[in-house]
Amino acid sequence: KYNEQLVAIANAEPTEANLKMLADVYNAGQMYDKQIVILRKLVEVTNKQKPEYMADLATILVVQGQKEEAVTLVKEIRSLHPTYRS
């Protein structure tokens, strides 16, 4: 029930804060496929200006066996945010 409410809030108001909360809930519940969707939205909503979301997405992609996409994302992080370290 709580998760459904968070999903409704994030869909109604897909702000960074709402999406981050939902991503954290999905992570805690090991719902990685859903977390990937939300992390993609976070990367989009923040215009790739928050490398931590991109790094989180890359990590979950590796866990889910999507290594090629994760490597591409890491390269993009290094290009856009050369001083970022996770």
Side-chain angles (χ1 to χ4, degrees):
K1 191 83 176 152
Y2 177 70
N3 285 0
E4 291 173 19
Q5 291 172 333
L6 287 177
V7 170
I9 290 168
N11 284 333
E13 284 190 62
T15 63
E16 180 181 353
N18 290 342
L19 292 170
K20 173 73 170 106
M21 186 183 320
L22 189 55
D24 290 344
V25 167
Y26 285 151
N27 183 272
Q30 298 181 344
M31 295 180 266
Y32 302 127
D33 287 343
K34 290 181 178 186
Q35 186 185 14
I36 286 171
V37 171
I38 299 303
L39 286 171
R40 287 186 201 283
K41 287 182 184 177
L42 267 170
V43 169
E44 183 181 314
V45 165
T46 59
N47 295 313
K48 299 184 179 181
Q49 295 304 304
K50 299 272 182 113
E52 58 271 25
Y53 298 142
M54 297 171 76
D56 288 349
L57 178 55
T59 300
I60 298 301
L61 287 170
V62 168
V63 168
Q64 293 298 96
Q66 299 176 43
K67 187 177 177 185
E68 276 185 42
E69 186 178 352
V71 168
T72 300
L73 195 53
V74 169
K75 288 178 182 175
E76 190 172 7
I77 293 167
R78 289 181 180 157
S79 172
L80 294 172
H81 306 281
T83 60
Y84 177 74
R85 298 287 175 262
S86 63

PDB file of all heavy atoms in Angstrom, residues 37-68:
ATOM      1  N   VAL A  37      14.082   1.735 -13.902  1.00  0.00           N
ATOM      2  CA  VAL A  37      13.162   2.659 -14.568  1.00  0.00           C
ATOM      3  C   VAL A  37      13.189   4.023 -13.874  1.00  0.00           C
ATOM      4  O   VAL A  37      13.278   5.070 -14.526  1.00  0.00           O
ATOM      5  CB  VAL A  37      11.725   2.079 -14.588  1.00  0.00           C
ATOM      6  CG1 VAL A  37      10.725   3.122 -15.073  1.00  0.00           C
ATOM      7  CG2 VAL A  37      11.668   0.832 -15.456  1.00  0.00           C
ATOM      8  N   ILE A  38      13.143   4.005 -12.555  1.00  0.00           N
ATOM      9  CA  ILE A  38      13.118   5.252 -11.790  1.00  0.00           C
ATOM     10  C   ILE A  38      14.462   5.977 -11.872  1.00  0.00           C
ATOM     11  O   ILE A  38      14.511   7.205 -12.009  1.00  0.00           O
ATOM     12  CB  ILE A  38      12.716   4.995 -10.323  1.00  0.00           C
ATOM     13  CG1 ILE A  38      11.313   4.383 -10.252  1.00  0.00           C
ATOM     14  CG2 ILE A  38      12.800   6.276  -9.498  1.00  0.00           C
ATOM     15  CD1 ILE A  38      10.218   5.209 -10.910  1.00  0.00           C
ATOM     16  N   LEU A  39      15.559   5.234 -11.815  1.00  0.00           N
ATOM     17  CA  LEU A  39      16.878   5.877 -11.935  1.00  0.00           C
ATOM     18  C   LEU A  39      17.051   6.518 -13.306  1.00  0.00           C
ATOM     19  O   LEU A  39      17.635   7.596 -13.422  1.00  0.00           O
ATOM     20  CB  LEU A  39      18.000   4.871 -11.654  1.00  0.00           C
ATOM     21  CG  LEU A  39      18.180   4.495 -10.188  1.00  0.00           C
ATOM     22  CD1 LEU A  39      19.158   3.327 -10.050  1.00  0.00           C
ATOM     23  CD2 LEU A  39      18.659   5.687  -9.366  1.00  0.00           C
ATOM     24  N   ARG A  40      16.532   5.878 -14.346  1.00  0.00           N
ATOM     25  CA  ARG A  40      16.579   6.489 -15.687  1.00  0.00           C
ATOM     26  C   ARG A  40      15.834   7.829 -15.676  1.00  0.00           C
ATOM     27  O   ARG A  40      16.288   8.804 -16.255  1.00  0.00           O
ATOM     28  CB  ARG A  40      15.960   5.561 -16.729  1.00  0.00           C
ATOM     29  CG  ARG A  40      16.791   4.358 -17.084  1.00  0.00           C
ATOM     30  CD  ARG A  40      16.128   3.589 -18.233  1.00  0.00           C
ATOM     31  NE  ARG A  40      16.561   2.220 -18.319  1.00  0.00           N
ATOM     32  CZ  ARG A  40      17.710   1.806 -18.813  1.00  0.00           C
ATOM     33  NH1 ARG A  40      18.576   2.686 -19.263  1.00  0.00           N
ATOM     34  NH2 ARG A  40      18.016   0.528 -18.869  1.00  0.00           N
ATOM     35  N   LYS A  41      14.678   7.848 -15.006  1.00  0.00           N
ATOM     36  CA  LYS A  41      13.908   9.093 -14.911  1.00  0.00           C
ATOM     37  C   LYS A  41      14.682  10.146 -14.117  1.00  0.00           C
ATOM     38  O   LYS A  41      14.671  11.322 -14.467  1.00  0.00           O
ATOM     39  CB  LYS A  41      12.549   8.839 -14.263  1.00  0.00           C
ATOM     40  CG  LYS A  41      11.569   8.118 -15.154  1.00  0.00           C
ATOM     41  CD  LYS A  41      10.222   7.941 -14.473  1.00  0.00           C
ATOM     42  CE  LYS A  41       9.273   7.136 -15.340  1.00  0.00           C
ATOM     43  NZ  LYS A  41       7.995   6.893 -14.653  1.00  0.00           N
ATOM     44  N   LEU A  42      15.352   9.726 -13.046  1.00  0.00           N
ATOM     45  CA  LEU A  42      16.150  10.664 -12.245  1.00  0.00           C
ATOM     46  C   LEU A  42      17.269  11.275 -13.078  1.00  0.00           C
ATOM     47  O   LEU A  42      17.524  12.479 -12.999  1.00  0.00           O
ATOM     48  CB  LEU A  42      16.751   9.950 -11.025  1.00  0.00           C
ATOM     49  CG  LEU A  42      15.957  10.019  -9.745  1.00  0.00           C
ATOM     50  CD1 LEU A  42      16.545   9.073  -8.709  1.00  0.00           C
ATOM     51  CD2 LEU A  42      15.895  11.432  -9.206  1.00  0.00           C
ATOM     52  N   VAL A  43      17.938  10.460 -13.858  1.00  0.00           N
ATOM     53  CA  VAL A  43      19.016  10.953 -14.725  1.00  0.00           C
ATOM     54  C   VAL A  43      18.447  11.974 -15.713  1.00  0.00           C
ATOM     55  O   VAL A  43      19.038  13.027 -15.940  1.00  0.00           O
ATOM     56  CB  VAL A  43      19.713   9.777 -15.452  1.00  0.00           C
ATOM     57  CG1 VAL A  43      20.636  10.278 -16.554  1.00  0.00           C
ATOM     58  CG2 VAL A  43      20.491   8.919 -14.452  1.00  0.00           C
ATOM     59  N   GLU A  44      17.268  11.669 -16.236  1.00  0.00           N
ATOM     60  CA  GLU A  44      16.619  12.573 -17.191  1.00  0.00           C
ATOM     61  C   GLU A  44      16.168  13.875 -16.511  1.00  0.00           C
ATOM     62  O   GLU A  44      16.435  14.972 -17.012  1.00  0.00           O
ATOM     63  CB  GLU A  44      15.408  11.858 -17.802  1.00  0.00           C
ATOM     64  CG  GLU A  44      14.680  12.637 -18.852  1.00  0.00           C
ATOM     65  CD  GLU A  44      13.478  11.874 -19.379  1.00  0.00           C
ATOM     66  OE1 GLU A  44      13.611  10.664 -19.670  1.00  0.00           O
ATOM     67  OE2 GLU A  44      12.401  12.489 -19.486  1.00  0.00           O
ATOM     68  N   VAL A  45      15.499  13.752 -15.380  1.00  0.00           N
ATOM     69  CA  VAL A  45      14.973  14.923 -14.662  1.00  0.00           C
ATOM     70  C   VAL A  45      16.091  15.875 -14.232  1.00  0.00           C
ATOM     71  O   VAL A  45      15.922  17.088 -14.230  1.00  0.00           O
ATOM     72  CB  VAL A  45      14.143  14.468 -13.428  1.00  0.00           C
ATOM     73  CG1 VAL A  45      13.886  15.596 -12.443  1.00  0.00           C
ATOM     74  CG2 VAL A  45      12.822  13.863 -13.879  1.00  0.00           C
ATOM     75  N   THR A  46      17.243  15.317 -13.895  1.00  0.00           N
ATOM     76  CA  THR A  46      18.376  16.145 -13.459  1.00  0.00           C
ATOM     77  C   THR A  46      19.322  16.502 -14.612  1.00  0.00           C
ATOM     78  O   THR A  46      20.400  17.038 -14.389  1.00  0.00           O
ATOM     79  CB  THR A  46      19.172  15.439 -12.341  1.00  0.00           C
ATOM     80  OG1 THR A  46      19.649  14.176 -12.823  1.00  0.00           O
ATOM     81  CG2 THR A  46      18.320  15.232 -11.097  1.00  0.00           C
ATOM     82  N   ASN A  47      18.907  16.197 -15.838  1.00  0.00           N
ATOM     83  CA  ASN A  47      19.691  16.533 -17.039  1.00  0.00           C
ATOM     84  C   ASN A  47      21.132  16.044 -16.954  1.00  0.00           C
ATOM     85  O   ASN A  47      22.062  16.748 -17.373  1.00  0.00           O
ATOM     86  CB  ASN A  47      19.651  18.038 -17.297  1.00  0.00           C
ATOM     87  CG  ASN A  47      18.264  18.526 -17.631  1.00  0.00           C
ATOM     88  OD1 ASN A  47      17.570  17.932 -18.446  1.00  0.00           O
ATOM     89  ND2 ASN A  47      17.841  19.583 -16.967  1.00  0.00           N
ATOM     90  N   LYS A  48      21.314  14.882 -16.355  1.00  0.00           N
ATOM     91  CA  LYS A  48      22.639  14.249 -16.219  1.00  0.00           C
ATOM     92  C   LYS A  48      23.616  15.103 -15.415  1.00  0.00           C
ATOM     93  O   LYS A  48      24.827  14.940 -15.520  1.00  0.00           O
ATOM     94  CB  LYS A  48      23.225  13.897 -17.589  1.00  0.00           C
ATOM     95  CG  LYS A  48      22.374  12.916 -18.359  1.00  0.00           C
ATOM     96  CD  LYS A  48      23.019  12.503 -19.659  1.00  0.00           C
ATOM     97  CE  LYS A  48      22.124  11.500 -20.383  1.00  0.00           C
ATOM     98  NZ  LYS A  48      22.721  11.058 -21.630  1.00  0.00           N
ATOM     99  N   GLN A  49      23.086  16.001 -14.595  1.00  0.00           N
ATOM    100  CA  GLN A  49      23.949  16.866 -13.781  1.00  0.00           C
ATOM    101  C   GLN A  49      24.247  16.271 -12.405  1.00  0.00           C
ATOM    102  O   GLN A  49      25.013  16.857 -11.642  1.00  0.00           O
ATOM    103  CB  GLN A  49      23.307  18.244 -13.628  1.00  0.00           C
ATOM    104  CG  GLN A  49      23.195  18.999 -14.943  1.00  0.00           C
ATOM    105  CD  GLN A  49      24.541  19.143 -15.639  1.00  0.00           C
ATOM    106  OE1 GLN A  49      25.491  19.656 -15.065  1.00  0.00           O
ATOM    107  NE2 GLN A  49      24.633  18.652 -16.869  1.00  0.00           N
ATOM    108  N   LYS A  50      23.658  15.119 -12.081  1.00  0.00           N
ATOM    109  CA  LYS A  50      23.891  14.452 -10.794  1.00  0.00           C
ATOM    110  C   LYS A  50      24.536  13.094 -11.083  1.00  0.00           C
ATOM    111  O   LYS A  50      23.857  12.095 -11.297  1.00  0.00           O
ATOM    112  CB  LYS A  50      22.581  14.252 -10.033  1.00  0.00           C
ATOM    113  CG  LYS A  50      21.849  15.535  -9.688  1.00  0.00           C
ATOM    114  CD  LYS A  50      22.332  16.086  -8.352  1.00  0.00           C
ATOM    115  CE  LYS A  50      21.592  17.341  -7.968  1.00  0.00           C
ATOM    116  NZ  LYS A  50      20.744  17.188  -6.813  1.00  0.00           N
ATOM    117  N   PRO A  51      25.870  13.062 -11.102  1.00  0.00           N
ATOM    118  CA  PRO A  51      26.543  11.820 -11.476  1.00  0.00           C
ATOM    119  C   PRO A  51      26.236  10.660 -10.537  1.00  0.00           C
ATOM    120  O   PRO A  51      26.328   9.494 -10.937  1.00  0.00           O
ATOM    121  CB  PRO A  51      28.026  12.189 -11.461  1.00  0.00           C
ATOM    122  CG  PRO A  51      28.113  13.408 -10.599  1.00  0.00           C
ATOM    123  CD  PRO A  51      26.817  14.127 -10.784  1.00  0.00           C
ATOM    124  N   GLU A  52      25.847  10.957  -9.295  1.00  0.00           N
ATOM    125  CA  GLU A  52      25.551   9.868  -8.366  1.00  0.00           C
ATOM    126  C   GLU A  52      24.370   9.025  -8.848  1.00  0.00           C
ATOM    127  O   GLU A  52      24.353   7.805  -8.660  1.00  0.00           O
ATOM    128  CB  GLU A  52      25.312  10.382  -6.946  1.00  0.00           C
ATOM    129  CG  GLU A  52      24.190  11.386  -6.802  1.00  0.00           C
ATOM    130  CD  GLU A  52      24.598  12.849  -6.979  1.00  0.00           C
ATOM    131  OE1 GLU A  52      25.604  13.142  -7.644  1.00  0.00           O
ATOM    132  OE2 GLU A  52      23.890  13.704  -6.430  1.00  0.00           O
ATOM    133  N   TYR A  53      23.395   9.647  -9.508  1.00  0.00           N
ATOM    134  CA  TYR A  53      22.268   8.878 -10.043  1.00  0.00           C
ATOM    135  C   TYR A  53      22.723   8.016 -11.219  1.00  0.00           C
ATOM    136  O   TYR A  53      22.277   6.878 -11.379  1.00  0.00           O
ATOM    137  CB  TYR A  53      21.126   9.792 -10.476  1.00  0.00           C
ATOM    138  CG  TYR A  53      20.522  10.600  -9.357  1.00  0.00           C
ATOM    139  CD1 TYR A  53      20.111  11.902  -9.566  1.00  0.00           C
ATOM    140  CD2 TYR A  53      20.361  10.069  -8.077  1.00  0.00           C
ATOM    141  CE1 TYR A  53      19.548  12.665  -8.548  1.00  0.00           C
ATOM    142  CE2 TYR A  53      19.811  10.823  -7.047  1.00  0.00           C
ATOM    143  CZ  TYR A  53      19.402  12.117  -7.291  1.00  0.00           C
ATOM    144  OH  TYR A  53      18.850  12.865  -6.287  1.00  0.00           O
ATOM    145  N   MET A  54      23.597   8.570 -12.028  1.00  0.00           N
ATOM    146  CA  MET A  54      24.130   7.814 -13.158  1.00  0.00           C
ATOM    147  C   MET A  54      24.959   6.628 -12.647  1.00  0.00           C
ATOM    148  O   MET A  54      24.869   5.522 -13.194  1.00  0.00           O
ATOM    149  CB  MET A  54      24.970   8.731 -14.046  1.00  0.00           C
ATOM    150  CG  MET A  54      24.165   9.867 -14.667  1.00  0.00           C
ATOM    151  SD  MET A  54      25.200  11.092 -15.514  1.00  0.00           S
ATOM    152  CE  MET A  54      25.602  10.193 -17.008  1.00  0.00           C
ATOM    153  N   ALA A  55      25.729   6.844 -11.591  1.00  0.00           N
ATOM    154  CA  ALA A  55      26.538   5.767 -11.009  1.00  0.00           C
ATOM    155  C   ALA A  55      25.647   4.704 -10.379  1.00  0.00           C
ATOM    156  O   ALA A  55      25.907   3.494 -10.522  1.00  0.00           O
ATOM    157  CB  ALA A  55      27.507   6.336  -9.976  1.00  0.00           C
ATOM    158  N   ASP A  56      24.597   5.131  -9.687  1.00  0.00           N
ATOM    159  CA  ASP A  56      23.649   4.166  -9.123  1.00  0.00           C
ATOM    160  C   ASP A  56      23.021   3.321 -10.222  1.00  0.00           C
ATOM    161  O   ASP A  56      22.899   2.097 -10.089  1.00  0.00           O
ATOM    162  CB  ASP A  56      22.538   4.881  -8.342  1.00  0.00           C
ATOM    163  CG  ASP A  56      23.004   5.469  -7.027  1.00  0.00           C
ATOM    164  OD1 ASP A  56      24.127   5.165  -6.581  1.00  0.00           O
ATOM    165  OD2 ASP A  56      22.226   6.249  -6.438  1.00  0.00           O
ATOM    166  N   LEU A  57      22.638   3.972 -11.305  1.00  0.00           N
ATOM    167  CA  LEU A  57      22.044   3.260 -12.431  1.00  0.00           C
ATOM    168  C   LEU A  57      23.034   2.259 -13.019  1.00  0.00           C
ATOM    169  O   LEU A  57      22.687   1.103 -13.264  1.00  0.00           O
ATOM    170  CB  LEU A  57      21.570   4.251 -13.498  1.00  0.00           C
ATOM    171  CG  LEU A  57      20.974   3.656 -14.770  1.00  0.00           C
ATOM    172  CD1 LEU A  57      19.819   2.716 -14.468  1.00  0.00           C
ATOM    173  CD2 LEU A  57      20.542   4.769 -15.724  1.00  0.00           C
ATOM    174  N   ALA A  58      24.277   2.678 -13.208  1.00  0.00           N
ATOM    175  CA  ALA A  58      25.298   1.775 -13.749  1.00  0.00           C
ATOM    176  C   ALA A  58      25.489   0.564 -12.841  1.00  0.00           C
ATOM    177  O   ALA A  58      25.602  -0.571 -13.321  1.00  0.00           O
ATOM    178  CB  ALA A  58      26.617   2.519 -13.942  1.00  0.00           C
ATOM    179  N   THR A  59      25.505   0.790 -11.547  1.00  0.00           N
ATOM    180  CA  THR A  59      25.684  -0.312 -10.589  1.00  0.00           C
ATOM    181  C   THR A  59      24.545  -1.319 -10.690  1.00  0.00           C
ATOM    182  O   THR A  59      24.781  -2.532 -10.744  1.00  0.00           O
ATOM    183  CB  THR A  59      25.767   0.245  -9.143  1.00  0.00           C
ATOM    184  OG1 THR A  59      26.875   1.134  -9.067  1.00  0.00           O
ATOM    185  CG2 THR A  59      25.920  -0.865  -8.127  1.00  0.00           C
ATOM    186  N   ILE A  60      23.320  -0.821 -10.716  1.00  0.00           N
ATOM    187  CA  ILE A  60      22.160  -1.715 -10.784  1.00  0.00           C
ATOM    188  C   ILE A  60      22.119  -2.434 -12.131  1.00  0.00           C
ATOM    189  O   ILE A  60      21.740  -3.603 -12.210  1.00  0.00           O
ATOM    190  CB  ILE A  60      20.848  -0.939 -10.519  1.00  0.00           C
ATOM    191  CG1 ILE A  60      20.850  -0.348  -9.116  1.00  0.00           C
ATOM    192  CG2 ILE A  60      19.624  -1.836 -10.726  1.00  0.00           C
ATOM    193  CD1 ILE A  60      20.987  -1.344  -7.990  1.00  0.00           C
ATOM    194  N   LEU A  61      22.525  -1.748 -13.193  1.00  0.00           N
ATOM    195  CA  LEU A  61      22.575  -2.404 -14.506  1.00  0.00           C
ATOM    196  C   LEU A  61      23.534  -3.588 -14.485  1.00  0.00           C
ATOM    197  O   LEU A  61      23.228  -4.657 -15.027  1.00  0.00           O
ATOM    198  CB  LEU A  61      22.983  -1.399 -15.583  1.00  0.00           C
ATOM    199  CG  LEU A  61      21.918  -0.365 -15.962  1.00  0.00           C
ATOM    200  CD1 LEU A  61      22.529   0.721 -16.839  1.00  0.00           C
ATOM    201  CD2 LEU A  61      20.723  -1.017 -16.649  1.00  0.00           C
ATOM    202  N   VAL A  62      24.679  -3.435 -13.837  1.00  0.00           N
ATOM    203  CA  VAL A  62      25.636  -4.546 -13.729  1.00  0.00           C
ATOM    204  C   VAL A  62      25.006  -5.700 -12.948  1.00  0.00           C
ATOM    205  O   VAL A  62      25.090  -6.859 -13.361  1.00  0.00           O
ATOM    206  CB  VAL A  62      26.963  -4.087 -13.069  1.00  0.00           C
ATOM    207  CG1 VAL A  62      27.834  -5.274 -12.700  1.00  0.00           C
ATOM    208  CG2 VAL A  62      27.720  -3.154 -13.997  1.00  0.00           C
ATOM    209  N   VAL A  63      24.375  -5.380 -11.829  1.00  0.00           N
ATOM    210  CA  VAL A  63      23.723  -6.400 -11.000  1.00  0.00           C
ATOM    211  C   VAL A  63      22.684  -7.168 -11.820  1.00  0.00           C
ATOM    212  O   VAL A  63      22.527  -8.377 -11.663  1.00  0.00           O
ATOM    213  CB  VAL A  63      23.058  -5.750  -9.757  1.00  0.00           C
ATOM    214  CG1 VAL A  63      22.138  -6.723  -9.037  1.00  0.00           C
ATOM    215  CG2 VAL A  63      24.104  -5.209  -8.804  1.00  0.00           C
ATOM    216  N   GLN A  64      22.028  -6.466 -12.721  1.00  0.00           N
ATOM    217  CA  GLN A  64      20.980  -7.076 -13.542  1.00  0.00           C
ATOM    218  C   GLN A  64      21.523  -7.679 -14.847  1.00  0.00           C
ATOM    219  O   GLN A  64      20.753  -8.074 -15.700  1.00  0.00           O
ATOM    220  CB  GLN A  64      19.884  -6.052 -13.855  1.00  0.00           C
ATOM    221  CG  GLN A  64      19.093  -5.631 -12.635  1.00  0.00           C
ATOM    222  CD  GLN A  64      18.356  -6.798 -12.000  1.00  0.00           C
ATOM    223  OE1 GLN A  64      18.830  -7.404 -11.060  1.00  0.00           O
ATOM    224  NE2 GLN A  64      17.197  -7.130 -12.520  1.00  0.00           N
ATOM    225  N   GLY A  65      22.846  -7.714 -14.983  1.00  0.00           N
ATOM    226  CA  GLY A  65      23.453  -8.363 -16.138  1.00  0.00           C
ATOM    227  C   GLY A  65      23.513  -7.519 -17.399  1.00  0.00           C
ATOM    228  O   GLY A  65      23.747  -8.033 -18.483  1.00  0.00           O
ATOM    229  N   GLN A  66      23.321  -6.220 -17.255  1.00  0.00           N
ATOM    230  CA  GLN A  66      23.346  -5.319 -18.414  1.00  0.00           C
ATOM    231  C   GLN A  66      24.676  -4.565 -18.437  1.00  0.00           C
ATOM    232  O   GLN A  66      24.721  -3.332 -18.394  1.00  0.00           O
ATOM    233  CB  GLN A  66      22.148  -4.371 -18.341  1.00  0.00           C
ATOM    234  CG  GLN A  66      20.822  -5.101 -18.382  1.00  0.00           C
ATOM    235  CD  GLN A  66      19.639  -4.182 -18.208  1.00  0.00           C
ATOM    236  OE1 GLN A  66      19.583  -3.108 -18.791  1.00  0.00           O
ATOM    237  NE2 GLN A  66      18.677  -4.593 -17.401  1.00  0.00           N
ATOM    238  N   LYS A  67      25.752  -5.345 -18.535  1.00  0.00           N
ATOM    239  CA  LYS A  67      27.097  -4.792 -18.396  1.00  0.00           C
ATOM    240  C   LYS A  67      27.453  -3.784 -19.488  1.00  0.00           C
ATOM    241  O   LYS A  67      28.066  -2.761 -19.201  1.00  0.00           O
ATOM    242  CB  LYS A  67      28.114  -5.933 -18.371  1.00  0.00           C
ATOM    243  CG  LYS A  67      29.508  -5.479 -18.053  1.00  0.00           C
ATOM    244  CD  LYS A  67      30.486  -6.626 -17.974  1.00  0.00           C
ATOM    245  CE  LYS A  67      31.874  -6.087 -17.731  1.00  0.00           C
ATOM    246  NZ  LYS A  67      32.894  -7.122 -17.765  1.00  0.00           N
ATOM    247  N   GLU A  68      27.078  -4.077 -20.736  1.00  0.00           N
ATOM    248  CA  GLU A  68      27.437  -3.164 -21.829  1.00  0.00           C
ATOM    249  C   GLU A  68      26.870  -1.769 -21.607  1.00  0.00           C
ATOM    250  O   GLU A  68      27.569  -0.770 -21.773  1.00  0.00           O
ATOM    251  CB  GLU A  68      26.932  -3.708 -23.177  1.00  0.00           C
ATOM    252  CG  GLU A  68      27.862  -4.697 -23.813  1.00  0.00           C
ATOM    253  CD  GLU A  68      27.377  -5.106 -25.190  1.00  0.00           C
ATOM    254  OE1 GLU A  68      26.916  -4.239 -25.962  1.00  0.00           O
ATOM    255  OE2 GLU A  68      27.474  -6.303 -25.500  1.00  0.00           O
TER     256      GLU A  68
END
